[in-house]
Amino acid sequence: MVRKTVAAGVLFLIFACTEQEKRNANSEVTDTETTTQNDDIANEAQEWLMKNITNYFATEELGSLDSFMQKMTTAEYYEYKNDATNVDLEIDGSLTETQFHEKWKNKFDTSKAGIGTGFLISGQDWDKIEFEKCDLISTTEKGFLFDVILKDETFQSKYPSKILVVHLGDGYKIADVIGEH
């Protein structure tokens, strides 16, 4: 009886170990597939970001830049950046700097808003904006954070920033630009 119990126990251990090895192997395959899928999505977001920024600065009709910006940003970021750009200007709806910080302090880092500057670069004029760098920093539940340096050789200017890209039902959107000044 003892031999049967020991033999059954040994068989159980062998079976349990074999099943655990199978689960570990399956887990590794699943982790690899998930990582590959996340990499593919991050690459897709990066391609979208680079294409849209390149097209934005290649737009020859300057009057269409606002609508282009609106299409490539979340509604909340669009409103935030417009508020930042128009701080202390004497136009309808502009905010004082104090009002701006108070309105947006719970949603954005207002110290990095680029108050009084344009979208993505601080320069008012540019010739040809190109990417010097666009590297994925992290993937979070919020989206993809990219380390970006835009440059304009003609004006010998560089514009470093961190850009958060999110995926919404209608595609990718810029949800925040940090340090655009």
Side-chain angles (χ1 to χ4, degrees), residues 109-151:
D109 180 354
T110 58
S111 69
K112 310 262 188 212
I115 291 177
T117 66
F119 176 54
L120 298 169
I121 65 170
S122 58
Q124 290 183 349
D125 296 317
W126 68 85
D127 180 37
K128 184 176 181 185
I129 300 293
E130 297 175 316
F131 280 87
E132 179 172 297
K133 173 174 148 178
C134 183
D135 297 333
L136 179 66
I137 296 172
S138 64
T139 302
T140 67
E141 57 203 39
K142 290 184 179 181
F144 305 96
L145 187 63
F146 293 95
D147 184 15
V148 174
I149 298 177
L150 299 174
K151 66 180 180 178

Side-chain angles (χ1 to χ4, degrees), residues 31-47 136 138-139 144 146 172:
D31 290 347
T32 301
E33 288 172 356
T34 301
T35 301
T36 301
Q37 289 171 347
N38 289 344
D39 289 347
D40 290 346
I41 295 168
N43 288 337
E44 188 178 278
Q46 182 182 37
E47 288 173 17
L136 179 66
S138 64
T139 302
F144 305 96
F146 293 95
Y172 293 102

Side-chain angles (χ1 to χ4, degrees), residues 149-168:
I149 298 177
L150 299 174
K151 66 180 180 178
D152 186 335
E153 296 290 339
T154 304
F155 288 95
Q156 298 178 355
S157 300
K158 291 187 180 188
Y159 307 100
S161 62
K162 307 287 185 268
I163 300 177
L164 177 63
V165 174
V166 296
H167 190 270
L168 302 176

Side-chain angles (χ1 to χ4, degrees):
M1 179 77 170
V2 173
R3 284 189 175 153
K4 286 183 182 178
T5 305
V6 170
V10 170
L11 283 175
F12 176 76
L13 275 174
I14 292 170
F15 179 74
C17 290
T18 303
E19 286 303 308
Q20 183 62 40
E21 286 174 10
K22 286 180 186 176
R23 280 194 294 274
N24 288 345
N26 287 340
S27 175
E28 288 174 16
V29 169
T30 302
D31 290 347
T32 301
E33 288 172 356
T34 301
T35 301
T36 301
Q37 289 171 347
N38 289 344
D39 289 347
D40 290 346
I41 295 168
N43 288 337
E44 188 178 278
Q46 182 182 37
E47 288 173 17
W48 175 88
L49 180 64
M50 293 179 74
K51 176 185 171 194
N52 278 272
I53 289 176
T54 300
N55 290 343
Y56 176 82
F57 285 107
T59 301
E60 293 185 18
E61 190 175 322
L62 297 180
S64 66
L65 288 177
D66 185 65
S67 64
F68 201 134
M69 176 187 165
Q70 193 169 10
K71 288 177 188 170
M72 61 191 280
T73 60
T74 63
E76 186 173 59
Y77 179 77
Y78 176 79
E79 181 183 350
Y80 166 73
K81 184 56 189 172
N82 274 323
D83 282 352
T85 300
N86 296 326
V87 163
D88 288 332
L89 294 181
E90 294 181 16
I91 59 173
D92 287 342
S94 70
L95 305 171
T96 65
E97 191 164 343
T98 302
Q99 290 170 323
F100 171 77
H101 289 294
E102 195 58 35
K103 178 179 179 179
W104 293 107
K105 70 182 179 185
N106 294 326
K107 295 184 180 184
F108 294 95
D109 180 354
T110 58
S111 69
K112 310 262 188 212
I115 291 177
T117 66
F119 176 54
L120 298 169
I121 65 170
S122 58
Q124 290 183 349
D125 296 317
W126 68 85
D127 180 37
K128 184 176 181 185
I129 300 293
E130 297 175 316
F131 280 87
E132 179 172 297
K133 173 174 148 178
C134 183
D135 297 333
L136 179 66
I137 296 172
S138 64
T139 302
T140 67
E141 57 203 39
K142 290 184 179 181
F144 305 96
L145 187 63
F146 293 95
D147 184 15
V148 174
I149 298 177
L150 299 174
K151 66 180 180 178
D152 186 335
E153 296 290 339
T154 304
F155 288 95
Q156 298 178 355
S157 300
K158 291 187 180 188
Y159 307 100
S161 62
K162 307 287 185 268
I163 300 177
L164 177 63
V165 174
V166 296
H167 190 270
L168 302 176
D170 58 345
Y172 293 102
K173 301 282 184 177
I174 294 173
D176 199 3
V177 179
I178 303 162
E180 56 184 67
H181 40 328

